[in-house]
Amino acid sequence: MDPSEYTADAFHLLAAMVWSKQISDRLSLSYGVCGDHLFGGYQVYPVIGFDWQPSPDWRIELGFPFSRLRYQVTKSFDLLLRAFPNGNEWYVKSKALEKDSTLVYEAYVLESAFRWRLHRQFAFTASVGREFDGRYEMTLLDDSRVRLSSDSSTRVGVALAWYF
């Protein structure tokens, strides 16, 4: 593919600036601004969240656009419940590379997970959740723009993290 075929629509600036303020030993506030495709098409939106730890084992992060509840079963094992938007925007071309368009997806996720800290630097996470209220927006070959809804679906995930 020739780089001259790309337009400005093919490039996106993803950025975030978030500050955190400790209110007390158990409560902190995060706030800022983010620009990305989390809600489908690119947009700039505010970020705010309260992080409350009522006891050493429990942590509640309530905010926009992410919320999470964590219970620490042991020093190396956590149970999580989280809710967040899941979206993106892709720049696409027709098979013959004659037409270009964007494909936008937006949905919301409610998910439970367990995280096992194998070592100070490694963690394993397994999750299962439900993705709902999914919508696609795309351009068809006849240049008409359409919006389609998707059924709710179950998500299953596995992740390995290396902290350094």
Side-chain angles (χ1 to χ4, degrees):
M1 196 165 184
D2 183 0
S4 66
E5 293 180 24
Y6 290 103
T7 66
D9 294 335
F11 300 97
H12 302 281
L13 174 65
L14 308 178
M17 289 189 337
V18 179
W19 294 268
S20 189
K21 179 176 174 64
Q22 197 70 33
I23 297 172
S24 72
D25 290 344
R26 295 182 178 190
L27 183 65
S28 65
L29 168 68
S30 297
Y31 54 93
V33 65
C34 189
D36 62 22
H37 302 280
L38 197 58
F39 293 96
Y42 184 85
Q43 59 183 295
V44 176
Y45 55 89
V47 176
I48 189 163
F50 291 94
D51 187 345
W52 179 43
Q53 192 162 1
S55 75
D57 298 339
W58 288 94
R59 185 172 186 174
I60 301 165
E61 298 171 59
L62 186 59
F64 176 83
F66 296 98
S67 291
R68 180 171 73 167
L69 173 65
R70 183 192 70 153
Y71 176 63
Q72 186 174 6
V73 179
T74 68
K75 281 189 146 242
S76 61
F77 188 74
D78 294 337
L79 297 175
L80 305 161
L81 181 63
R82 49 195 177 198
F84 54 93
N86 182 33
N88 210 338
E89 180 177 25
W90 296 272
Y91 181 74
V92 295
K93 290 188 105 22
S94 65
K95 193 172 186 175
L97 305 177
E98 297 166 346
K99 293 185 176 192
D100 57 66
S101 179
T102 56
L103 169 63
V104 178
Y105 178 69
E106 54 189 84
Y108 295 92
V109 176
L110 182 60
E111 182 174 71
S112 62
F114 74 85
R115 181 174 51 207
W116 180 25
R117 194 80 177 224
L118 304 165
H119 181 271
R120 186 175 57 86
Q121 291 180 295
F122 294 100
F124 170 80
T125 303
S127 61
V128 64
R130 196 79 174 147
E131 191 161 301
F132 58 94
D133 201 20
R135 292 182 297 281
Y136 293 91
E137 185 176 330
M138 66 192 87
T139 302
L140 301 178
L141 288 174
D142 66 0
D143 290 328
S144 62
R145 194 83 178 153
V146 296
R147 285 184 66 92
L148 304 170
S149 296
S150 65
D151 292 336
S152 295
S153 60
T154 300
R155 300 166 42 112
V156 176
V158 174
L160 279 175
W162 175 31
Y163 302 96
F164 55 95

